[in-house]
Amino acid sequence: MNLRSFFYLQHSDRKVILFLAALILACLGLIIYTGSRMTETEVTDKDSASHPSPIPYQRQQLPTEPYTESGKDRKLFAFDPNTATPHQLQQLGLATYQIRNIIKYRAKGGIYRSPMDFARLYGLTRKQFRELEPYIAISDDYAPASTLASVQAYIAGKQAERQAAHKAYQAFKAKNTYKPYQEYDRDTIRYPLKLKAGEHINLATADTTLLKKVPGIGSGWARAIVSYGKRLGGYVAVGQLLEIDGFPEESLPFFSITNPNPAKLDLNSLTLNQLRKHPYLNFFQAREICDYRRLKGKLTSLSQLRLLKDFPPEAIERLRPYVDLR
């Protein structure tokens, strides 16, 4: 057998052998390169351990704690919280967040008009305020403009003019009061005779025709009285007329209340929109009633409304004649 023929390989076999040889060489090279890199890293770590690198400079933060009483930098002096600088406020012992709140409040147009306004500063204790109160000196420049003497004199002059005009009108009205002649009957439909002193009408049942007989009450006021009575569900006191904006007080002595029969509100069944239509219930009060019914059940006594923050005692008493708890 010929030795040459024994080692003879096909062309495809030679390609496979060359590929394997190249792959083995690549793997050996990769192993050698990786080993050398690991050695360099260990040397570098040892050098770093023996010669640590300097820490980069970091900017220091300003202290956020206020000056204490024993601090030598803290001192008290007269200051205006509307114009004091942050450095001055810090010398007074205020914390950084308090100074920031003061600056924000002033930037939004806020003004400290009295020491009590400054007392509402967030985080300010009673002890701090007692110490600072004698030194708070608010400038007159921040006082309300209405306190100026010229403005007060102007307001007083306008009030005097209105009073003089009212007196002149009353004198003219008294002097020119129309008195019907006795020889003919007056048209009481178009021009109803007014009530005399001591006469009254029942506000609980009066209509617009009867209301116009009251001195000082015309068609406009008569319609306003009837309209407000319908919103209330009926009048129970003469003083309720003063709840109408601008109502003439001189007409009150001609009214009286006899056998009032107001419409009742069922607080346990009416919806929020129905409750808020009554003049004595606003949106927030109506919502609190609905929330109370939903969370705790029906109302059994009007005194339960005292548990709600929007119902002061006077609001409950005013509402009492119009409530029906079934």
Side-chain angles (χ1 to χ4, degrees), residues 79-152:
F79 71 99
D80 186 348
N82 294 303
T83 57
T85 63
H87 180 68
Q88 292 174 338
L89 295 173
Q90 193 177 35
Q91 286 181 327
L92 291 168
L94 296 178
T96 303
Y97 73 91
Q98 293 174 326
I99 300 174
R100 189 184 304 113
N101 290 339
I102 293 174
I103 300 301
K104 288 182 179 180
Y105 177 73
R106 296 190 321 204
K108 293 180 180 180
I111 296 176
Y112 296 99
R113 302 188 186 276
S114 66
M116 289 299 102
D117 293 341
F118 185 75
R120 291 195 292 267
L121 177 64
Y122 177 75
L124 189 67
T125 63
R126 292 183 178 181
K127 182 178 180 182
Q128 286 179 312
F129 178 70
R130 292 193 190 101
E131 294 176 350
L132 296 175
E133 185 179 11
Y135 300 93
I136 299 176
I138 298 176
S139 174
D140 292 339
D141 295 337
Y142 296 96
S146 59
T147 59
L148 291 173
S150 58
V151 176
Q152 291 180 344

Side-chain angles (χ1 to χ4, degrees), residues 4 11-12 17 53 73 76 128 136 156 160 170 223 263 283 324:
R4 182 178 179 180
H11 181 69
S12 58
I17 293 173
S53 59
D73 294 330
L76 298 177
Q128 286 179 312
I136 299 176
Q170 293 295 335
R223 288 193 297 268
F283 171 78
D324 180 20

Side-chain angles (χ1 to χ4, degrees), residues 8 50 76 107 116 122 152 154 167 170-171 183 200 206 221 233 275 303 309 314:
Y8 178 76
S50 59
L76 298 177
M116 289 299 102
Y122 177 75
Q152 291 180 344
Y154 175 79
K167 289 181 180 179
Q170 293 295 335
E183 55 267 18
H200 304 85
W221 280 120
L275 289 172
S303 60
K309 63 178 182 179
E314 56 273 15

